[in-house]
């Protein structure tokens, strides 16, 4: 609620609620939301207070957007690709298979009009969106058996959701929906053959390497997924301009918090996974090529029925082509040499 | 000046001056400073105004830190490695040869105590520092002739400064100090053999490919240089907590602005350079290995005389080893596949 009209007071006292799509156990995803509300409070000397609720405390995690659209809460912290059931266009704001890496996704949203275009799209859902986090490139998950060629994917039961699940279905995988706590027993019993989660820091806590030791990379469906804040559009429009700026700047701080915290914690997560029996395996080019082909087929199918999706996908792909034209020069070769010389430093 | 005591008013009217180390022509570096002061003004409804001055308007670019320490201005926008003449430890806050990439540098500063440790170090210069920008991995510059082995570096006159120049000197390069506008004529006449600047977007404007066509990568001395804001320590301590938070959050926004703007503009810069006769060349492993060895020798020499440098370098190197242990898995292989499939998307 806004205590007094914005015109009369530029820094009014405001109390909001933010519902998260993440449980507290995903402490880097949920933690970035904590940092966000803390920054907003500090920057306003406590005048703008946002109370942060974990998934399930007000509404389940996947209903965060609806709760915001409808005004149950003023805002949420969520990932746009959870809402592909409403419109597959949502996925492109976060990450799609073979999309942009984390920095490129930010460059597309902030420097190439992506964020403005999505906010046009979001209007019919009565929300305003801006980034609050990115996980960096994720892992491909744990597999009970090695998979070497695309043929090995046939009939493979894998815990994977959303548009990535649709891509994998095209190459023979049978996508499964399971909540986090159900994954370990399902892999142990062999009810499922594989499961993807996030990256080493979060993955290690599930202990999956003990029951499905082959840990594949990269998670080609999430090269750099952007996490968003969504604000009820009426509430956004009622905010003083200063508070709109404060929310967006806090979004930048929380984005950098999330990605740097994952970068700092993933190495130790990976070490623990390897120590508990996990074995790293790269997806073969045969598998990646088959999935890349399936991905482009899916985009053509969706695009034939959905003009917004088609336009936004073409925009992202053109940007991606430009980005990797440059990325392959300085950034990639810097990393190449540093990886090569890592143990000699 | 602070218009009224912080205790009496949490959002006082303040007017500051920020001197930049960058000319306006480096519009992404200078532009991130513009964005920073604009965000601070917007978040405070115009109460905290920072007037931004380009290099040379108040003091020359390389005197920005002294002007801040001494109180001529309240803050500056600069790069810590300009101040290696005071103490080589400064370089580690920005970038050193074979250091961290952009995201890793941020992770080290924000998640591994780097920023706190540097602020202890900065105290004797009477400043408080926090990041305002990163350029991403830079290029190795333009060379009149191809260089294939470390032997080809012998006697090579190259425009390169700071600690990178000290490393290259060890492998036979003769570092040259030239201001931006003097580089083109010097390369044209053959007074110098090579020159490094930033990356394709800024480099293209100098037109150097016409006189020195071989454009080398990566700029191994700047894998992800962090640009900083430095505030006079007394002025920092006098600020209300809300304003300290506002400056730091604006720093995050401006950091993301700088790196995403370079990411968005470098591809077209690179295309123009190639169209004007530039030819991409990778530094050979022979050259990189010789420079890597020279770098470690230099760190040992400096560290023997400078305990702070030794400690901070060891801290950064341990973090770097951890980071690339993980980076080589998901991030690097995601990029590898996307580069491989770029022209097929």
């Amino acid at each position: 609620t806004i205590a007094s009209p914005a015109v009369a007071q530029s820094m009014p006292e405001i109390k909001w609620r933010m519902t998260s799509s993440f449980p507290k156990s995903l402490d880097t995803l949920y933690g970035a939301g904590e940092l966000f509300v803390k920054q907003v409070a500090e920057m306003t000397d406590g005048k703008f207070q946002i109370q942060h609720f974990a998934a399930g405390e007000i509404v389940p995690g996947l209903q965060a957007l609806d709760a915001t659209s409808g005004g149950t809460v003023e805002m949420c912290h969520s990932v746009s690709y959870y809402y592909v059931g409403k419109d597959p266009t949502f996925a492109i704001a976060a990450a799609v298979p073979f999309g942009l890496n984390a920095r490129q996704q930010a460059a597309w949203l902030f420097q190439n009009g992506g964020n403005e275009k999505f906010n046009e799209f979001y209007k019919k859902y009565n929300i305003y969106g801006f980034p609050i986090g990115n996980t960096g490139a994720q892992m491909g998950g744990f597999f009970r058996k090695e998979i070497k060629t695309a043929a090995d994917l046939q009939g493979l039961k894998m815990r994977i959701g959303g548009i990535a699940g649709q891509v994998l279905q095209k190459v023979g995988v049978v996508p499964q929906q399971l909540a986090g706590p159900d994954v370990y027993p399902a892999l142990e019993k062999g009810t499922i053959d594989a499961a993807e989660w996030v990256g080493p820091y979060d993955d290690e806590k599930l202990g999956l390497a003990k029951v499905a030791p082959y840990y594949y990379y990269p998670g080609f469906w999430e090269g750099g997924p952007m996490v968003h804040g969504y604000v009820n559009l009426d509430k956004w429009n009622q905010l003083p301009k200063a508070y709109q700026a404060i929310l967006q700047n806090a979004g930048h701080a929380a984005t950098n918090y999330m990605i740097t915290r994952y970068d700092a914690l993933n190495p130790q997560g990976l070490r623990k996974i390897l120590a508990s029996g996990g074995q790293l395996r790269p997806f073969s080019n045969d598998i990646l090529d088959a999935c890349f082909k399936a991905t482009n087929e899916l985009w053509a199918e969706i695009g034939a029925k959905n003009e917004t999706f088609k336009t936004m996908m073409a925009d992202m792909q053109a940007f991606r082509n430009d980005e990797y034209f440059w990325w392959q020069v300085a950034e990639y070769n810097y990393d190449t040499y540093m990886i090569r010389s890592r143990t000699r430093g």
Side-chain angles (χ1 to χ4, degrees), chain A:
Chain A
T1 51
I2 294 185
S4 53
V7 287
Q9 198 185 346
S10 63
M11 294 292 205
E13 290 195 8
I14 295 184
K15 286 192 198 304
W16 274 15
R17 300 195 303 170
M18 177 170 86
T19 189
S20 177
S21 288
F22 315 114
K24 290 182 183 174
S25 58
L26 286 168
D27 54 51
T28 297
L29 285 155
Y30 179 81
E34 286 288 284
L35 183 105
F36 172 79
V37 302
K38 184 167 174 283
Q39 293 303 312
V40 172
E42 283 186 6
M43 287 192 277
T44 60
D45 213 22
K47 285 180 181 155
F48 192 171
Q49 295 278 355
I50 303 173
Q51 202 179 350
H52 184 206
F53 294 90
E57 290 184 345
I58 300 177
V59 293
L62 302 184
Q63 289 172 31
L65 193 84
D66 284 342
T68 306
S69 297
T72 303
V73 292
E74 286 83 3
M75 73 176 291
C76 66
H77 189 213
S78 191
V79 188
S80 66
Y81 59 41
Y82 293 154
Y83 309 104
V84 291
K86 298 179 189 296
D87 188 325
T89 308
F90 269 106
I92 311 172
V96 291
F98 304 105
L100 302 163
N101 69 21
R103 239 169 74 179
Q104 295 167 350
Q105 183 76 4
W108 182 53
L109 291 176
F110 289 119
Q111 299 292 339
N112 212 50
N115 205 39
E116 286 77 12
K117 287 170 202 160
F118 270 110
N119 273 306
E120 279 304 310
F121 166 73
Y122 296 149
K123 274 184 185 166
K124 68 174 147 181
Y125 302 95
N126 196 39
I127 52 171
Y128 181 87
F130 56 92
I132 307 185
N134 194 302
T135 66
Q138 298 194 4
M139 288 293 286
F142 297 91
F143 290 69
R144 284 166 54 98
K145 291 179 185 166
E146 285 190 86
I147 51 164
K148 292 180 177 174
T149 66
D152 295 337
L153 298 172
Q154 283 300 323
L156 192 96
K157 288 183 195 143
M158 180 170 183
R159 186 226 175 249
I160 186 166
I163 218 158
Q166 291 178 50
V167 165
L168 288 175
Q169 199 162 16
K170 279 186 166 286
V171 291
V173 170
V174 187
Q176 310 284 311
Q177 307 293 336
L178 278 91
D182 301 334
V183 175
Y184 187 100
L187 275 176
E188 191 176 30
K189 285 179 207 152
T191 318
I192 61 172
D193 306 298
E196 68 96 33
W197 190 237
V198 186
Y201 175 67
D202 292 325
D203 290 1
E204 186 272 330
K205 296 184 216 163
L206 300 184
L208 304 183
K210 293 187 195 79
V211 286
Y214 302 104
Y215 193 32
Y216 274 85
Y217 63 88
F220 55 81
W221 48 90
E222 299 192 65
M226 197 65 89
V227 177
H228 276 75
Y230 290 111
V231 177
N232 177 283
L233 189 56
D234 305 318
K235 293 290 176 185
W236 177 259
N237 289 332
Q238 286 164 24
L239 279 184
K241 293 285 177 223
Y243 281 7
Q244 290 181 347
I246 280 169
L247 289 180
Q248 288 176 307
N249 278 265
H252 281 289
T255 296
N256 292 349
Y257 171 86
M258 188 188 292
I259 199 158
T260 58
R261 191 161 190 265
Y262 270 123
D263 284 344
L265 294 174
N266 276 329
Q268 66 191 57
L270 183 54
R271 283 211 177 81
K272 286 185 192 172
I273 287 168
L274 299 181
S276 72
Q279 295 180 49
L280 283 171
R281 291 288 184 278
F283 285 125
S284 66
N285 281 331
D286 185 59
I287 288 172
L288 292 170
D289 288 348
C291 292
F292 190 57
K293 185 167 168 284
T295 298
N296 287 333
E297 286 167 11
L298 184 64
W299 298 166
E301 288 163 25
I302 299 172
K305 295 174 292 189
N306 184 328
E307 196 58 38
T308 310
F309 179 92
K310 190 179 172 182
T311 306
M312 292 296 272
M313 179 56 74
D315 193 306
M316 185 280 283
Q317 287 177 329
F319 191 73
R320 182 185 67 186
N321 198 47
D322 252 21
E323 286 303 284
Y324 275 109
F325 166 67
W326 155 239
W327 200 273
Q328 68 186 335
V329 181
E331 286 290 340
Y332 185 75
N333 282 283
Y334 187 78
D335 289 336
T336 300
Y337 187 77
M338 294 313 297
I339 288 166
R340 179 174 171 272
S341 64
R342 194 179 70 86
T343 53
R344 299 182 297 149

